[in-house]
Coordinates of all heavy atoms in Angstrom, one line a residue:
M400 N 2.0 -23.2 22.2 CA 1.2 -22.5 21.2 C 2.1 -21.4 20.6 O 2.7 -20.6 21.3 CB -0.1 -22.0 21.8 CG -1.0 -21.5 20.7 SD -2.7 -21.1 21.4 CE -2.4 -19.5 22.1
T401 N 2.0 -21.2 19.3 CA 2.8 -20.2 18.6 C 2.1 -18.8 18.8 O 0.9 -18.7 18.6 CB 2.9 -20.4 17.1 OG1 3.2 -21.8 17.0 CG2 4.0 -19.6 16.5
K402 N 2.9 -17.8 19.1 CA 2.3 -16.4 19.3 C 2.2 -15.8 17.9 O 3.1 -15.8 17.1 CB 3.2 -15.6 20.2 CG 2.5 -14.3 20.7 CD 3.4 -13.7 21.8 CE 2.8 -12.3 22.2 NZ 3.0 -11.3 21.2
K403 N 1.0 -15.2 17.6 CA 0.8 -14.5 16.3 C 1.5 -13.2 16.3 O 1.4 -12.4 17.2 CB -0.7 -14.4 16.0 CG -1.0 -13.8 14.7 CD -2.6 -13.8 14.5 CE -2.9 -13.2 13.2 NZ -2.9 -11.8 13.2
D404 N 2.2 -12.9 15.3 CA 2.9 -11.5 15.1 C 2.1 -10.8 14.0 O 2.1 -11.1 12.8 CB 4.4 -11.7 14.6 CG 5.1 -10.3 14.5 OD1 4.4 -9.3 14.5 OD2 6.3 -10.4 14.6
D405 N 1.4 -9.7 14.4 CA 0.5 -9.0 13.5 C 1.3 -8.3 12.4 O 0.8 -7.8 11.4 CB -0.4 -8.0 14.2 CG -1.4 -8.7 15.0 OD1 -1.8 -9.8 14.6 OD2 -1.8 -8.2 16.1
N406 N 2.6 -8.1 12.6 CA 3.4 -7.4 11.6 C 3.9 -8.3 10.5 O 4.5 -7.8 9.5 CB 4.7 -6.8 12.3 CG 4.3 -5.6 13.2 OD1 3.4 -4.8 12.8 ND2 4.9 -5.6 14.3
I407 N 3.6 -9.6 10.6 CA 4.0 -10.5 9.5 C 2.8 -11.0 8.8 O 1.9 -11.5 9.5 CB 4.9 -11.7 10.1 CG1 6.1 -11.1 10.7 CG2 5.2 -12.7 9.0 CD1 7.0 -12.2 11.4
S408 N 2.7 -10.9 7.5 CA 1.6 -11.5 6.7 C 2.2 -12.3 5.6 O 3.4 -12.2 5.3 CB 0.7 -10.3 6.2 OG 1.4 -9.6 5.2
A409 N 1.3 -13.0 4.9 CA 1.8 -13.8 3.8 C 2.5 -13.0 2.7 O 3.4 -13.5 2.1 CB 0.6 -14.5 3.2
M410 N 2.1 -11.8 2.5 CA 2.7 -10.9 1.5 C 3.8 -10.0 2.0 O 4.4 -9.2 1.3 CB 1.7 -10.1 0.8 CG 0.7 -11.0 0.0 SD -0.5 -9.9 -0.9 CE 0.5 -9.1 -2.0
C411 N 4.1 -10.1 3.4 CA 5.1 -9.2 3.9 C 4.9 -7.8 3.6 O 5.8 -7.1 3.1 CB 6.5 -9.6 3.6 SG 7.0 -11.1 4.4
R412 N 3.6 -7.3 3.7 CA 3.3 -5.9 3.4 C 4.0 -5.0 4.4 O 4.2 -5.3 5.6 CB 1.8 -5.7 3.3 CG 1.2 -6.5 2.2 CD -0.3 -6.0 2.0 NE -0.3 -4.6 1.6 CZ 0.0 -4.1 0.4 NH1 0.4 -5.0 -0.5 NH2 -0.1 -2.9 0.1
P413 N 4.3 -3.7 4.0 CA 5.0 -2.8 4.9 C 4.1 -2.4 6.1 O 2.9 -2.4 5.9 CB 5.2 -1.5 4.0 CG 4.9 -1.9 2.6 CD 4.1 -3.2 2.7
A414 N 4.7 -2.2 7.2 CA 3.9 -1.8 8.4 C 3.8 -0.3 8.4 O 4.8 0.4 8.2 CB 4.6 -2.3 9.7
I415 N 2.6 0.2 8.6 CA 2.4 1.6 8.7 C 3.0 2.2 9.9 O 2.9 1.7 11.0 CB 0.8 1.9 8.6 CG1 0.3 1.6 7.2 CG2 0.5 3.3 9.0 CD1 -1.2 1.8 7.1
G416 N 3.7 3.3 9.8 CA 4.1 4.1 10.9 C 5.4 3.8 11.5 O 5.7 4.3 12.6
E417 N 6.2 2.9 11.0 CA 7.5 2.5 11.6 C 8.4 3.8 11.7 O 9.2 3.9 12.6 CB 8.2 1.4 10.8 CG 7.6 0.1 11.0 CD 8.3 -1.0 10.3 OE1 9.0 -0.7 9.3 OE2 8.1 -2.2 10.7
A418 N 8.3 4.7 10.8 CA 9.1 5.9 10.8 C 8.3 7.2 11.1 O 8.7 8.3 10.8 CB 9.8 6.1 9.5
G419 N 7.1 7.0 11.8 CA 6.3 8.1 12.1 C 5.4 8.5 11.0 O 5.2 7.7 10.0
K420 N 4.7 9.6 11.0 CA 3.8 10.0 10.0 C 4.6 10.6 8.7 O 4.8 11.8 8.6 CB 2.8 11.1 10.5 CG 1.9 10.4 11.5 CD 0.6 11.3 11.7 CE -0.3 10.5 12.6 NZ -1.6 11.2 12.8
T421 N 5.0 9.6 7.9 CA 5.9 9.9 6.8 C 5.3 10.7 5.6 O 5.9 11.1 4.7 CB 6.4 8.6 6.2 OG1 5.3 7.7 6.0 CG2 7.4 7.9 7.2
G422 N 3.9 11.0 5.7 CA 3.3 11.8 4.8 C 3.9 13.3 4.7 O 3.8 13.9 3.7
D423 N 4.5 13.7 5.8 CA 5.2 15.0 5.8 C 6.3 15.1 4.8 O 6.7 16.2 4.4 CB 5.8 15.3 7.2 CG 4.7 15.5 8.2 OD1 3.5 15.7 7.8 OD2 5.0 15.6 9.4
W424 N 6.9 14.0 4.3 CA 8.0 14.0 3.4 C 7.6 14.3 2.0 O 8.4 14.6 1.1 CB 8.7 12.6 3.4 CG 9.1 12.1 4.7 CD1 9.1 12.7 5.9 CD2 9.7 10.8 4.9 NE1 9.6 11.9 6.9 CE2 10.0 10.7 6.3 CE3 10.0 9.7 4.1 CZ2 10.6 9.6 6.9 CZ3 10.6 8.6 4.7 CH2 10.8 8.5 6.1
R425 N 6.2 14.3 1.7 CA 5.7 14.3 0.4 C 5.8 15.7 -0.3 O 5.5 16.7 0.3 CB 4.3 13.8 0.5 CG 3.6 13.4 -0.7 CD 2.2 12.9 -0.4 NE 1.4 13.8 0.4 CZ 0.8 13.5 1.6 NH1 0.8 12.2 2.0 NH2 0.2 14.4 2.2
D426 N 6.1 15.7 -1.6 CA 6.0 16.9 -2.4 C 4.7 16.9 -3.3 O 4.1 17.9 -3.6 CB 7.2 17.0 -3.4 CG 8.5 17.4 -2.7 OD1 8.4 18.1 -1.7 OD2 9.5 16.9 -3.1
K427 N 4.3 15.7 -3.6 CA 3.0 15.5 -4.4 C 2.2 14.5 -3.7 O 2.6 13.6 -3.1 CB 3.4 15.0 -5.9 CG 4.0 16.1 -6.7 CD 4.3 15.5 -8.1 CE 5.1 16.5 -9.0 NZ 4.3 17.6 -9.5
R428 N 0.9 14.7 -3.9 CA -0.1 13.8 -3.3 C -1.0 13.1 -4.4 O -1.3 13.8 -5.3 CB -1.0 14.5 -2.2 CG -2.0 15.5 -2.8 CD -3.0 15.8 -1.8 NE -2.4 16.5 -0.6 CZ -3.1 16.5 0.6 NH1 -4.3 15.9 0.7 NH2 -2.5 17.1 1.6
P429 N -1.3 11.9 -4.1 CA -2.2 11.2 -5.1 C -3.7 11.6 -4.8 O -4.1 11.8 -3.6 CB -2.0 9.8 -4.8 CG -1.6 9.7 -3.3 CD -0.9 11.0 -3.1
T430 N -4.4 11.9 -5.9 CA -5.9 12.2 -5.8 C -6.6 11.1 -6.6 O -6.1 10.7 -7.7 CB -6.3 13.6 -6.2 OG1 -5.9 13.7 -7.6 CG2 -5.6 14.6 -5.4
I431 N -7.7 10.7 -6.1 CA -8.4 9.6 -6.8 C -9.7 10.1 -7.4 O -10.5 10.9 -6.8 CB -8.9 8.5 -5.8 CG1 -7.7 8.1 -4.9 CG2 -9.5 7.3 -6.5 CD1 -8.2 7.3 -3.6
D432 N -9.9 9.8 -8.7 CA -11.2 10.1 -9.4 C -11.9 8.7 -9.3 O -11.7 7.9 -10.2 CB -10.9 10.5 -10.8 CG -12.3 10.9 -11.6 OD1 -13.3 10.5 -11.0 OD2 -12.2 11.5 -12.6
H433 N -12.8 8.6 -8.4 CA -13.5 7.3 -8.2 C -14.3 7.0 -9.4 O -14.6 5.7 -9.6 CB -14.4 7.4 -6.9 CG -13.6 7.4 -5.7 ND1 -12.8 6.4 -5.2 CD2 -13.4 8.4 -4.7 CE1 -12.2 6.7 -4.1 NE2 -12.5 7.9 -3.8
N434 N -14.8 8.0 -10.2 CA -15.6 7.6 -11.3 C -14.8 7.0 -12.5 O -15.4 6.5 -13.4 CB -16.3 8.9 -11.8 CG -17.4 9.3 -10.8 OD1 -18.1 8.5 -10.3 ND2 -17.4 10.6 -10.5
K435 N -13.5 6.9 -12.3 CA -12.7 6.2 -13.3 C -12.2 4.9 -12.7 O -11.6 4.0 -13.4 CB -11.5 7.0 -13.7 CG -11.8 8.3 -14.5 CD -10.5 9.0 -14.8 CE -10.7 10.3 -15.7 NZ -9.4 11.0 -15.9
C436 N -12.3 4.7 -11.4 CA -11.7 3.5 -10.7 C -12.6 2.3 -11.0 O -13.8 2.2 -10.7 CB -11.7 3.9 -9.2 SG -11.0 2.5 -8.2
I437 N -11.9 1.2 -11.4 CA -12.6 0.0 -11.9 C -13.5 -0.6 -10.9 O -14.6 -0.9 -11.1 CB -11.5 -1.0 -12.5 CG1 -10.9 -0.4 -13.8 CG2 -12.2 -2.3 -12.8 CD1 -9.7 -1.0 -14.2
P438 N -13.0 -0.9 -9.6 CA -13.9 -1.5 -8.6 C -15.1 -0.6 -8.3 O -16.2 -1.2 -8.0 CB -13.0 -1.8 -7.4 CG -11.8 -1.0 -7.7 CD -11.6 -0.8 -9.1
F439 N -14.9 0.7 -8.3 CA -16.0 1.6 -8.0 C -17.0 1.5 -9.0 O -18.2 1.5 -8.8 CB -15.4 3.0 -7.8 CG -16.5 3.9 -7.3 CD1 -16.8 4.0 -5.9 CD2 -17.2 4.8 -8.1 CE1 -17.8 4.9 -5.4 CE2 -18.1 5.7 -7.7 CZ -18.4 5.8 -6.3
I440 N -16.5 1.5 -10.3 CA -17.5 1.5 -11.5 C -18.2 0.2 -11.5 O -19.5 0.1 -11.7 CB -16.7 1.7 -12.8 CG1 -16.2 3.1 -12.8 CG2 -17.6 1.5 -14.0 CD1 -15.1 3.4 -13.9
K441 N -17.5 -0.9 -11.3 CA -18.1 -2.3 -11.4 C -18.8 -2.7 -10.2 O -19.6 -3.7 -10.2 CB -17.0 -3.3 -11.8 CG -16.4 -3.1 -13.1 CD -15.4 -4.3 -13.4 CE -14.8 -4.2 -14.8 NZ -15.7 -4.5 -15.9
K442 N -18.6 -1.9 -9.1 CA -19.2 -2.3 -7.8 C -18.9 -3.7 -7.3 O -19.7 -4.4 -6.8 CB -20.8 -2.1 -7.8 CG -21.2 -0.7 -8.2 CD -20.9 0.3 -7.2 CE -21.4 1.7 -7.6 NZ -20.5 2.8 -7.2
K443 N -17.6 -4.1 -7.6 CA -17.2 -5.4 -7.2 C -15.6 -5.4 -7.1 O -15.0 -4.6 -7.8 CB -17.7 -6.5 -8.0 CG -17.2 -6.5 -9.4 CD -17.7 -7.7 -10.2 CE -17.2 -7.7 -11.6 NZ -17.7 -8.7 -12.5
P444 N -15.1 -6.3 -6.3 CA -13.6 -6.3 -6.1 C -13.0 -6.6 -7.5 O -13.3 -7.5 -8.1 CB -13.4 -7.4 -5.1 CG -14.6 -7.6 -4.4 CD -15.7 -7.2 -5.4
A445 N -12.1 -5.7 -7.9 CA -11.4 -5.9 -9.2 C -10.2 -4.9 -9.2 O -10.1 -4.0 -8.5 CB -12.3 -5.5 -10.4
C446 N -9.2 -5.3 -10.0 CA -8.1 -4.4 -10.2 C -7.2 -4.4 -9.0 O -6.4 -5.2 -8.7 CB -8.4 -3.0 -10.7 SG -7.0 -2.0 -11.1
F447 N -7.3 -3.3 -8.2 CA -6.6 -3.1 -7.0 C -5.1 -3.1 -7.2 O -4.3 -3.4 -6.3 CB -7.0 -4.1 -5.9 CG -8.4 -3.9 -5.4 CD1 -9.1 -5.0 -5.1 CD2 -8.9 -2.7 -5.1 CE1 -10.4 -5.0 -4.6 CE2 -10.2 -2.5 -4.6 CZ -11.0 -3.7 -4.4
L448 N -4.6 -2.8 -8.4 CA -3.2 -2.7 -8.7 C -2.4 -1.7 -7.9 O -1.4 -1.8 -7.5 CB -3.0 -2.4 -10.2 CG -3.3 -3.6 -11.1 CD1 -3.1 -3.2 -12.6 CD2 -2.4 -4.8 -10.8
C449 N -3.2 -0.6 -7.6 CA -2.6 0.5 -6.8 C -2.3 -0.1 -5.4 O -1.2 0.2 -4.8 CB -3.5 1.7 -6.7 SG -5.2 1.3 -6.2
W450 N -3.2 -0.8 -4.8 CA -3.0 -1.5 -3.5 C -1.9 -2.4 -3.6 O -1.0 -2.5 -2.7 CB -4.3 -2.2 -3.2 CG -4.2 -3.2 -2.1 CD1 -4.2 -2.9 -0.7 CD2 -4.0 -4.6 -2.2 NE1 -4.0 -4.1 0.0 CE2 -3.9 -5.1 -0.9 CE3 -3.9 -5.5 -3.3 CZ2 -3.8 -6.5 -0.6 CZ3 -3.7 -6.9 -3.0 CH2 -3.7 -7.3 -1.7
L451 N -1.8 -3.2 -4.7 CA -0.7 -4.2 -4.8 C 0.7 -3.6 -4.9 O 1.6 -4.0 -4.3 CB -1.0 -5.0 -6.1 CG 0.0 -6.2 -6.3 CD1 -0.1 -7.3 -5.2 CD2 -0.3 -6.8 -7.7
Y452 N 0.8 -2.5 -5.6 CA 2.1 -1.9 -5.9 C 2.5 -0.8 -4.9 O 3.7 -0.5 -4.9 CB 2.2 -1.3 -7.3 CG 2.3 -2.4 -8.4 CD1 1.2 -2.7 -9.2 CD2 3.5 -3.1 -8.5 CE1 1.4 -3.7 -10.2 CE2 3.6 -4.1 -9.5 CZ 2.5 -4.4 -10.3 OH 2.7 -5.4 -11.2
C453 N 1.7 -0.3 -4.2 CA 2.1 0.8 -3.2 C 3.1 0.3 -2.3 O 2.9 -0.6 -1.5 CB 0.9 1.3 -2.4 SG 1.3 2.5 -1.1
P454 N 4.3 0.9 -2.3 CA 5.4 0.4 -1.5 C 5.2 0.7 0.0 O 5.9 0.0 0.9 CB 6.7 1.1 -2.0 CG 6.1 2.3 -2.6 CD 4.8 2.0 -3.2
D455 N 4.3 1.6 0.3 CA 4.1 1.9 1.7 C 2.8 1.2 2.3 O 2.6 1.3 3.5 CB 3.9 3.4 1.9 CG 5.2 4.1 1.8 OD1 6.3 3.5 2.0 OD2 5.3 5.3 1.3
G456 N 2.1 0.5 1.4 CA 1.0 -0.3 1.9 C -0.1 0.6 2.5 O -0.7 0.2 3.5
V457 N -0.3 1.8 1.9 CA -1.3 2.7 2.5 C -2.6 2.9 1.7 O -3.4 3.7 2.0 CB -0.6 4.1 2.7 CG1 0.5 4.0 3.6 CG2 -0.2 4.7 1.3
I458 N -2.8 2.0 0.7 CA -4.0 2.0 -0.1 C -4.8 0.8 0.3 O -4.3 -0.3 0.5 CB -3.7 2.0 -1.6 CG1 -2.8 3.2 -2.0 CG2 -5.0 2.0 -2.4 CD1 -2.4 3.2 -3.5
T459 N -6.1 1.0 0.5 CA -7.0 -0.1 0.9 C -7.6 -0.8 -0.4 O -7.8 -0.1 -1.4 CB -8.2 0.4 1.7 OG1 -8.9 1.3 1.0 CG2 -7.7 1.0 3.0
A460 N -7.7 -2.1 -0.3 CA -8.4 -2.8 -1.3 C -9.9 -2.9 -1.0 O -10.4 -4.0 -0.7 CB -7.8 -4.2 -1.5
T461 N -10.5 -1.8 -1.1 CA -11.9 -1.6 -0.6 C -12.7 -0.9 -1.7 O -12.1 -0.4 -2.7 CB -12.1 -0.8 0.7 OG1 -11.4 0.4 0.5 CG2 -11.5 -1.6 1.8
I462 N -14.0 -0.8 -1.6 CA -14.8 -0.1 -2.6 C -15.5 1.0 -1.8 O -16.4 0.7 -1.0 CB -15.8 -1.0 -3.3 CG1 -15.1 -2.2 -4.0 CG2 -16.6 -0.2 -4.3 CD1 -16.0 -3.2 -4.5
P463 N -15.2 2.3 -2.0 CA -14.1 2.8 -2.8 C -12.7 2.5 -2.1 O -12.7 2.3 -0.9 CB -14.4 4.2 -2.9 CG -15.1 4.6 -1.6 CD -15.9 3.4 -1.3
I464 N -11.7 2.6 -2.9 CA -10.3 2.6 -2.3 C -10.1 3.8 -1.6 O -10.8 4.8 -1.8 CB -9.3 2.4 -3.4 CG1 -9.2 3.7 -4.3 CG2 -9.4 1.1 -4.3 CD1 -7.9 3.8 -5.1
S465 N -9.2 3.8 -0.6 CA -8.8 5.0 0.1 C -7.3 5.0 0.3 O -6.7 3.9 0.4 CB -9.5 5.2 1.4 OG -9.1 4.3 2.3
I466 N -6.7 6.1 0.5 CA -5.3 6.3 0.7 C -5.0 7.0 2.0 O -5.6 8.1 2.2 CB -4.6 7.1 -0.5 CG1 -4.8 6.4 -1.8 CG2 -3.1 7.3 -0.2 CD1 -4.3 7.2 -3.0
D467 N -4.2 6.4 2.9 CA -3.9 7.1 4.1 C -2.8 8.1 3.9 O -1.6 7.7 3.8 CB -3.5 6.0 5.1 CG -3.3 6.6 6.5 OD1 -3.2 7.8 6.6 OD2 -3.3 5.8 7.5
L468 N -3.2 9.3 3.8 CA -2.2 10.4 3.4 C -1.2 10.7 4.6 O -0.2 11.4 4.4 CB -2.9 11.7 2.9 CG -3.6 11.5 1.6 CD1 -4.4 12.7 1.3 CD2 -2.6 11.2 0.5
D469 N -1.5 10.2 5.8 CA -0.6 10.4 6.9 C 0.7 9.7 6.6 O 1.7 10.1 7.2 CB -1.2 9.9 8.2 CG -2.2 10.9 8.8 OD1 -2.2 12.0 8.4 OD2 -2.9 10.5 9.7
Y470 N 0.6 8.7 5.8 CA 1.8 7.8 5.6 C 2.3 7.7 4.1 O 3.3 7.2 3.9 CB 1.6 6.4 6.2 CG 1.3 6.5 7.7 CD1 0.0 6.3 8.1 CD2 2.3 6.6 8.5 CE1 -0.3 6.4 9.5 CE2 2.1 6.7 9.9 CZ 0.8 6.6 10.4 OH 0.6 6.7 11.7
C471 N 1.4 8.2 3.2 CA 1.8 8.1 1.8 C 3.0 9.1 1.5 O 2.9 10.2 1.9 CB 0.6 8.6 0.9 SG 1.1 9.2 -0.7
K472 N 4.1 8.6 1.0 CA 5.2 9.4 0.7 C 5.2 10.1 -0.7 O 6.2 10.8 -1.0 CB 6.5 8.6 0.9 CG 6.7 8.3 2.4 CD 8.1 7.9 2.8 CE 8.5 6.5 2.4 NZ 7.7 5.5 3.3
G473 N 4.2 9.9 -1.5 CA 4.1 10.6 -2.8 C 5.0 10.1 -3.9 O 5.3 10.9 -4.7
C474 N 5.2 8.8 -3.9 CA 6.2 8.3 -4.9 C 5.5 8.3 -6.3 O 6.2 8.3 -7.3 CB 6.6 6.9 -4.5 SG 5.3 5.7 -4.5
G475 N 4.2 8.2 -6.4 CA 3.5 8.2 -7.7 C 3.4 6.9 -8.3 O 2.9 6.8 -9.5
I476 N 3.8 5.8 -7.7 CA 3.7 4.5 -8.3 C 2.3 4.1 -8.6 O 1.9 3.5 -9.6 CB 4.4 3.4 -7.4 CG1 5.9 3.6 -7.5 CG2 4.1 2.0 -7.9 CD1 6.8 2.8 -6.5
C477 N 1.4 4.4 -7.7 CA -0.1 4.1 -7.8 C -0.6 4.7 -9.1 O -1.3 4.1 -9.9 CB -0.8 4.5 -6.6 SG -0.6 6.2 -6.1
A478 N -0.2 6.0 -9.3 CA -0.7 6.7 -10.5 C -0.1 6.1 -11.8 O -0.8 6.0 -12.8 CB -0.3 8.2 -10.4
E479 N 1.2 5.7 -11.7 CA 1.8 5.0 -12.8 C 1.2 3.7 -13.2 O 1.0 3.4 -14.4 CB 3.3 4.8 -12.5 CG 4.2 6.0 -12.6 CD 4.3 6.5 -14.0 OE1 4.5 5.7 -14.9 OE2 4.3 7.8 -14.2
E480 N 0.8 2.9 -12.2 CA 0.3 1.6 -12.4 C -1.2 1.5 -12.7 O -1.7 0.5 -13.2 CB 0.6 0.7 -11.2 CG 2.1 0.5 -10.9 CD 2.8 -0.3 -12.1 OE1 2.1 -1.1 -12.8 OE2 4.0 -0.1 -12.2
C481 N -1.9 2.5 -12.4 CA -3.4 2.5 -12.5 C -3.8 2.4 -14.0 O -3.5 3.3 -14.8 CB -4.0 3.7 -12.0 SG -5.8 3.8 -12.3
P482 N -4.4 1.3 -14.5 CA -4.7 1.2 -15.9 C -5.8 2.1 -16.4 O -6.0 2.3 -17.6 CB -5.2 -0.3 -16.0 CG -5.7 -0.6 -14.6 CD -4.8 0.2 -13.7
A483 N -6.6 2.7 -15.4 CA -7.7 3.6 -15.7 C -7.4 5.1 -15.6 O -8.2 5.9 -15.8 CB -8.9 3.2 -14.9
K484 N -6.1 5.3 -15.3 CA -5.7 6.7 -15.0 C -6.7 7.4 -14.0 O -7.0 8.6 -14.1 CB -5.7 7.6 -16.3 CG -4.8 7.0 -17.4 CD -3.4 7.2 -17.0 CE -2.4 6.6 -18.1 NZ -1.3 5.9 -17.6
A485 N -7.0 6.7 -13.0 CA -7.9 7.2 -11.9 C -7.2 7.9 -10.8 O -7.8 8.6 -10.0 CB -8.7 6.0 -11.4
I486 N -5.9 7.8 -10.8 CA -5.1 8.5 -9.8 C -4.2 9.5 -10.4 O -3.5 9.2 -11.4 CB -4.2 7.5 -8.9 CG1 -5.1 6.5 -8.3 CG2 -3.4 8.3 -7.9 CD1 -4.4 5.4 -7.4
A487 N -4.2 10.8 -9.9 CA -3.3 11.8 -10.5 C -2.5 12.3 -9.3 O -3.0 12.4 -8.2 CB -4.2 12.9 -11.1
M488 N -1.3 12.8 -9.6 CA -0.4 13.3 -8.6 C -0.5 14.8 -8.7 O -0.3 15.4 -9.8 CB 1.0 12.9 -8.8 CG 1.2 11.4 -8.7 SD 0.7 10.6 -7.1 CE 1.9 11.3 -6.0
I489 N -0.8 15.5 -7.6 CA -0.9 17.0 -7.6 C 0.1 17.5 -6.6 O 0.4 16.8 -5.5 CB -2.3 17.5 -7.3 CG1 -2.8 17.0 -5.9 CG2 -3.3 17.1 -8.4 CD1 -4.0 17.7 -5.5
N490 N 0.6 18.7 -6.8 CA 1.5 19.4 -5.9 C 0.9 19.6 -4.5 O -0.3 20.0 -4.4 CB 2.0 20.7 -6.4 CG 3.0 20.6 -7.6 OD1 3.6 19.5 -7.7 ND2 3.1 21.6 -8.4
E491 N 1.7 19.3 -3.5 CA 1.3 19.7 -2.1 C 1.3 21.2 -2.0 O 2.1 21.8 -2.7 CB 2.3 19.1 -1.1 CG 2.1 17.6 -0.8 CD 0.9 17.3 -0.1 OE1 0.2 18.2 0.5 OE2 0.6 16.1 0.0
E492 N 0.4 21.7 -1.3 CA 0.3 23.2 -1.1 C 1.7 23.7 -0.6 O 2.3 23.1 0.3 CB -0.7 23.5 0.0 CG -1.4 24.9 -0.3 CD -2.6 25.0 0.6 OE1 -3.5 24.2 0.5 OE2 -2.6 26.0 1.4
G493 N 2.2 24.7 -1.3 CA 3.4 25.3 -0.9 C 4.7 24.6 -1.4 O 5.8 25.0 -1.1
K494 N 4.5 23.5 -2.2 CA 5.6 22.8 -2.8 C 5.5 22.7 -4.3 O 5.2 21.7 -4.9 CB 5.7 21.4 -2.1 CG 6.0 21.3 -0.7 CD 6.2 19.9 -0.2 CE 6.5 19.9 1.3 NZ 6.7 18.6 1.9
D495 N 5.6 23.9 -4.9 CA 5.5 23.9 -6.4 C 6.7 23.4 -7.0 O 7.8 23.4 -6.4 CB 5.3 25.4 -6.8 CG 3.9 25.9 -6.3 OD1 3.0 25.1 -6.1 OD2 3.8 27.2 -6.2
D496 N 6.6 23.0 -8.3 CA 7.7 22.4 -9.1 C 8.8 23.5 -9.2 O 8.5 24.7 -9.3 CB 7.3 21.9 -10.4 CG 6.6 20.6 -10.3 OD1 6.9 19.9 -9.3 OD2 5.8 20.3 -11.2
Ligands
SF4_281 S1 2.0 7.9 -4.0 FE1 3.3 6.1 -3.5 S2 3.1 5.9 -1.3 FE2 1.5 7.2 -1.9 S3 -0.3 5.9 -2.2 FE3 0.7 6.1 -4.2 S4 2.1 4.3 -4.3 FE4 1.5 4.6 -2.2
SF4_282 S1 -5.3 0.8 -10.0 FE1 -6.7 2.5 -10.6 S2 -8.5 1.4 -11.3 FE2 -7.3 -0.1 -10.2 S3 -8.2 0.0 -8.1 FE3 -6.5 1.4 -8.1 S4 -7.3 3.4 -8.7 FE4 -8.9 1.9 -9.2

C-alpha cells in the first residue's frame, strides 16, 4: 500500500511553516474588506483568485476568506490580483515607508 504524503497535493501548493513563522519578515500586511469580496457578497464559492495566486498558500478558499498572518510575507500579490479591490496593503506598525 502506498503511504500518503500530506505535503504533496495535485496543485503542489506551498507548505506552511517550512521556514518558521515568516510573517515576521513583512513590511506591509493585507487587510480584507469583506463587503467588497465576491464570495462574501454572493454567499457562494466564487473568484478566490487571491487564494489561487498567493505564493505562500496562506489564504483560505472559504466564505469569508481568511489570511494566516503568521506566514504571510506581505508580497501584495493578492491585492494586485483581486478584481474587486477587496484587499489593501497597509504598513506594519513601526515599518513606515
Ligand atoms: S500578501 Fe502575499 S503572502 Fe500575504 S496573503 Fe497576499 S499574496 Fe499571500
Ligand atoms: S480575489 Fe478579491 S474578490 Fe476574489 S476572493 Fe479574493 S478578496 Fe475576494
Side-chain angles (χ1 to χ4, degrees):
M400 191 170 83
T401 318
K402 189 169 179 289
K403 184 173 176 284
D404 184 343
D405 289 332
N406 290 319
I407 298 175
S408 69
M410 293 182 65
C411 289
R412 295 193 60 76
I415 288 176
E417 284 181 341
K420 290 198 172 183
T421 50
D423 289 350
W424 303 356
R425 195 175 51 228
D426 289 328
K427 291 180 184 283
R428 69 164 60 203
T430 59
I431 308 162
D432 182 345
H433 291 293
N434 291 316
K435 292 181 181 175
C436 178
I437 293 165
F439 188 81
I440 294 168
K441 292 183 179 284
K442 303 292 182 219
K443 63 180 184 184
C446 185
F447 294 138
L448 288 176
C449 51
W450 166 82
L451 183 66
Y452 283 108
C453 173
D455 287 333
V457 298
I458 304 179
T459 60
T461 53
I462 305 169
I464 64 162
S465 70
I466 299 175
D467 188 341
L468 292 173
D469 280 346
Y470 299 102
C471 160
K472 290 199 278 295
C474 66
I476 290 174
C477 54
E479 285 290 321
E480 295 296 335
C481 176
K484 304 288 179 219
I486 300 178
M488 300 301 292
I489 60 168
N490 285 338
E491 284 288 350
E492 208 169 303
K494 294 187 178 178
D495 295 333
D496 286 333

